[in-house]
Amino acid sequence: MSVPKKRRTKSSVKRRQSHDALKKINLSKCPKCKQPVLSHTVCKNCGTYKGRQVLKIVDSKNRKKEKEKEKEKERKKKKKEKK
């Protein structure tokens, strides 16, 4: 294994570590729901990006109902295919 030829000075260590600091995240507000959002990302609250609806956001209550409806549709399709 190699060994450093010379010890790193305090100043060179601090100079290198100067870029390791955490930077503040710039959050902007969603124009539709006014929730804080990272720039260039879809709003998790309403599902819009650049004024357009990109994601279909469903409440947790309605999510179960929609999954059940989808399962019923799949069952009906399978029944039709068997006939």
Side-chain angles (χ1 to χ4, degrees), residues 9 23 27 34 36 38-39 42 47-48 58 60-62 66-69 79-80:
T9 62
K23 292 167 180 77
L27 295 175
K34 309 299 184 211
L38 273 172
S39 58
V42 177
T48 57
V58 182
S60 60
K61 295 175 185 176
N62 295 332
E66 288 194 11
K67 283 186 179 180
E68 290 174 5
K69 288 179 183 179
K79 285 181 181 178
K80 288 182 181 179

Side-chain angles (χ1 to χ4, degrees), residues 52-67:
R52 292 182 295 180
Q53 189 69 28
V54 180
L55 294 176
K56 183 180 176 185
I57 306 296
V58 182
D59 297 341
S60 60
K61 295 175 185 176
N62 295 332
R63 187 174 291 149
K64 290 180 183 178
K65 292 178 183 177
E66 288 194 11
K67 283 186 179 180

Side-chain angles (χ1 to χ4, degrees), residues 14-50:
K14 288 181 180 181
R15 219 177 307 127
R16 180 180 50 82
Q17 290 176 343
S18 67
H19 300 286
D20 293 345
L22 297 175
K23 292 167 180 77
K24 183 181 173 186
I25 297 172
N26 292 328
L27 295 175
S28 57
K29 289 188 178 179
C30 175
K32 188 174 181 183
C33 64
K34 309 299 184 211
Q35 291 288 323
V37 181
L38 273 172
S39 58
H40 305 289
T41 57
V42 177
C43 177
K44 294 178 183 177
N45 191 40
C46 63
T48 57
Y49 180 70
K50 289 188 177 180

